[in-house]
Amino acid sequence: MSADTGETPVVESARRKRTRDRLIDAAYDVFAEHGIAAATVEQITEQAGFTRGAFYSNFESKEELFFALADRENQVRFDRLEAGLTAYLPERGQITTDQISGIVRDFLGLQPDNRSWCLMQSEFQMLALRDPEVGKTYISGENRAMSMLGARLDELVAMVGLRFTMDSRELSQVLGAIYSDGITRVMLAGSSNPGPDTIDEVSDTIARIVQAFTEPIPA
Amino acid sequence: MSADTGETPVVESARRKRTRDRLIDAAYDVFAEHGIAAATVEQITEQAGFTRGAFYSNFESKEELFFALADRENQVRFDRLEAGLTAYLPERGQITTDQISGIVRDFLGLQPDNRSWCLMQSEFQMLALRDPEVGKTYISGENRAMSMLGARLDELVAMVGLRFTMDSRELSQVLGAIYSDGITRVMLAGSSNPGPDTIDEVSDTIARIVQAFTEPIPA
């Protein structure tokens, strides 16, 4: 296609990325307003100011667009976690439960978009449960994310002379489950600006688990 | 109402329980087939062979019926867990990770209804996230269940001279989160008869967490 317009692949690729980003932004708004099942490709392209053709030259389906949205949202949260971890990195071999709680509490400090995102994830998970093909893509995406997180956590704790006593992928899955469960309970309790108590509770639980499965690397 | 029919309160109450049970059975089938949001009170009463009047003299709404269904399903799982725990109770102070894995593996052995129930729970959680009133009832029900489970686990491990080093309600919440996450991943992976590997993985994780937060009661 770049041959037709005479554009270089670099320009084409930057433009393509902008188009994709605008479609993902639009999808976020449309999914949040109407729900994923009810949202149509037309609503998304209209919101983004594109044609259906632009949509289908970038995404095969609404589901594929959701996966792109999820990748972006996960990356934002991953970067934020990593920044928090790096900022708090303690002295060698001295990470305490309180320090871990602090990192998690900061990370859990719910952004304004979290309620929408939490709803979207719940709905998408349900759609994935009903559709085996979507389910398989969903679960391999999650497995990839957990392996990435686990590997990064391994590197980070090794920097301060620590290591996990549970496989880091498994530990990431555990922490992810407690985190999702905690966020969901905060949301269910009926507040999009949850009080400090609930967040502190989830943070302390995560900190206790991390502490229980961390040990100094023997000299 | 029992004055009109001349029945004793005991008979009335037994009949009332049968009516409620039949409505709950019918709701399970209708929710499983159509989803909770799409299901109507008419579909449920028709399936149960009752009138709308019978429905509304027992339940205020579809949501209240779902809570009654959830109570019953949770009780079944709770009883099954307790039976498993009692059967496996080890020698005093000697519970091992392998024994805990065994109990959890048996408990996780998915019944035929688990896929439907997992879908229903996901959908209901989403409805609860969207409706603050339903959300509050949902979360207090879950908190009650977790406190009950925690208290029972305390008693059970005390019988073999052990105690938890984490508050048992908090521990129950953690185990519940890992369990739900595990079941959901098994379902997402696309099988209603998941292979032994996945169940073993979840069981081992839960066992490791329980082991890490259990200690002998000092003499």
Side-chain angles (χ1 to χ4, degrees):
Chain A
M1 268 187 283
S2 58
D4 287 339
T5 60
E7 285 170 347
T8 68
V10 173
V11 172
E12 170 71 6
S13 146
R15 170 179 294 181
R16 192 177 172 79
K17 189 180 176 314
R18 276 200 308 277
T19 306
R20 283 176 64 92
D21 281 346
R22 272 173 60 189
L23 283 166
I24 294 171
D25 288 340
Y28 189 103
D29 294 340
V30 173
F31 289 163
E33 192 180 339
H34 302 281
I36 302 168
T40 63
V41 168
E42 285 69 24
Q43 286 169 329
I44 296 166
T45 51
E46 193 175 310
Q47 169 88 12
F50 287 124
T51 59
R52 279 176 61 95
F55 181 94
Y56 285 108
S57 76
N58 282 282
F59 299 103
E60 275 188 22
S61 63
K62 207 165 62 170
E63 285 73 21
E64 202 191 307
L65 177 53
F66 182 85
F67 284 123
L69 171 60
D71 279 348
R72 198 175 71 175
E73 292 293 315
N74 288 336
Q75 190 63 48
V76 168
R77 283 160 181 75
F78 191 77
D79 291 347
R80 204 186 299 150
L81 176 65
E82 179 145 334
L85 283 169
T86 312
Y88 274 87
L89 264 192
E91 297 300 304
R92 191 173 166 77
Q94 294 193 331
I95 198 160
T96 66
T97 309
D98 282 352
Q99 284 170 320
I100 307 170
S101 281
I103 298 169
V104 181
R105 204 174 303 125
D106 279 7
F107 179 64
L108 277 171
L110 298 176
Q111 270 61 36
D113 68 341
N114 261 20
R115 189 173 185 85
S116 295
W117 181 234
C118 182
L119 280 168
M120 265 186 248
Q121 281 186 298
S122 297
E123 189 190 352
F124 194 74
Q125 193 182 77
M126 209 184 64
L127 297 176
L129 280 166
R130 290 190 184 274
D131 181 332
E133 280 313 303
V134 178
K136 272 175 201 150
T137 312
Y138 184 96
I139 201 74
S140 38
E142 188 177 297
N143 286 342
R144 241 185 353 260
M146 289 301 148
S147 297
M148 248 176 70
L149 179 59
R152 199 72 194 96
L153 290 178
D154 274 334
E155 285 172 28
L156 282 163
V157 296
M159 285 170 64
V160 288
L162 297 171
R163 67 180 180 194
F164 297 121
T165 57
M166 182 191 277
D167 172 70
S168 65
R169 201 208 146 285
E170 185 181 356
L171 184 61
S172 299
Q173 189 74 48
V174 166
L175 302 182
I178 300 170
Y179 169 73
S180 298
D181 180 65
I183 291 271
T184 305
R185 281 187 299 129
V186 166
M187 300 287 173
L188 285 168
S191 172
S192 42
N193 284 311
D197 282 359
T198 331
I199 290 188
D200 285 2
E201 219 181 281
V202 180
S203 307
D204 289 352
T205 303
I206 291 181
R208 234 167 263 144
I209 305 265
V210 172
Q211 188 73 10
F213 293 97
T214 310
E215 65 178 15
I217 299 173
Chain B
M1 269 189 282
S2 57
D4 287 341
T5 59
E7 285 170 347
T8 68
V10 173
V11 174
E12 171 71 7
S13 146
R15 171 178 294 182
R16 192 176 171 80
K17 191 180 174 312
R18 277 200 306 277
T19 306
R20 284 176 62 92
D21 281 346
R22 271 173 60 189
L23 283 166
I24 294 172
D25 288 340
Y28 189 103
D29 294 341
V30 173
F31 290 163
E33 190 179 341
H34 302 282
I36 301 167
T40 64
V41 169
E42 285 69 23
Q43 286 169 329
I44 296 166
T45 52
E46 191 175 313
Q47 170 90 10
F50 288 124
T51 60
R52 278 175 62 93
F55 181 94
Y56 286 108
S57 75
N58 282 283
F59 300 102
E60 277 189 21
S61 61
K62 206 167 62 172
E63 285 74 20
E64 204 192 305
L65 178 54
F66 183 84
F67 285 123
L69 171 60
D71 279 348
R72 198 176 72 176
E73 292 293 316
N74 288 337
Q75 190 63 49
V76 168
R77 282 160 181 74
F78 190 78
D79 291 347
R80 202 185 301 150
L81 177 64
E82 179 146 333
L85 284 169
T86 311
Y88 274 88
L89 264 192
E91 296 301 302
R92 192 175 164 75
Q94 294 194 332
I95 199 161
T96 65
T97 308
D98 281 352
Q99 284 170 320
I100 307 170
S101 282
I103 297 168
V104 182
R105 203 174 303 124
D106 279 5
F107 179 64
L108 278 172
L110 298 175
Q111 270 58 38
D113 68 342
N114 260 20
R115 188 173 187 87
S116 295
W117 181 235
C118 182
L119 278 168
M120 266 187 246
Q121 281 186 298
S122 298
E123 188 189 355
F124 195 75
Q125 191 182 77
M126 210 185 64
L127 297 176
L129 281 165
R130 290 190 184 272
D131 181 332
E133 281 313 303
V134 178
K136 273 174 202 153
T137 311
Y138 184 97
I139 201 77
S140 34
E142 189 178 295
N143 287 341
R144 242 185 352 261
M146 287 302 149
S147 298
M148 248 175 70
L149 179 59
R152 200 70 194 100
L153 291 179
D154 274 333
E155 285 171 30
L156 282 163
V157 295
M159 285 169 64
V160 287
L162 297 172
R163 68 181 180 194
F164 297 122
T165 57
M166 183 191 279
D167 172 70
S168 64
R169 201 207 144 286
E170 184 182 356
L171 184 61
S172 299
Q173 189 74 49
V174 165
L175 302 183
I178 299 170
Y179 170 72
S180 298
D181 180 66
I183 291 272
T184 306
R185 281 185 300 127
V186 166
M187 300 286 174
L188 284 168
S191 172
S192 43
N193 284 311
D197 282 358
T198 330
I199 290 188
D200 285 1
E201 217 181 281
V202 180
S203 307
D204 289 352
T205 303
I206 290 182
R208 235 167 261 145
I209 304 266
V210 172
Q211 187 73 12
F213 292 97
T214 308
E215 66 178 14
I217 299 172

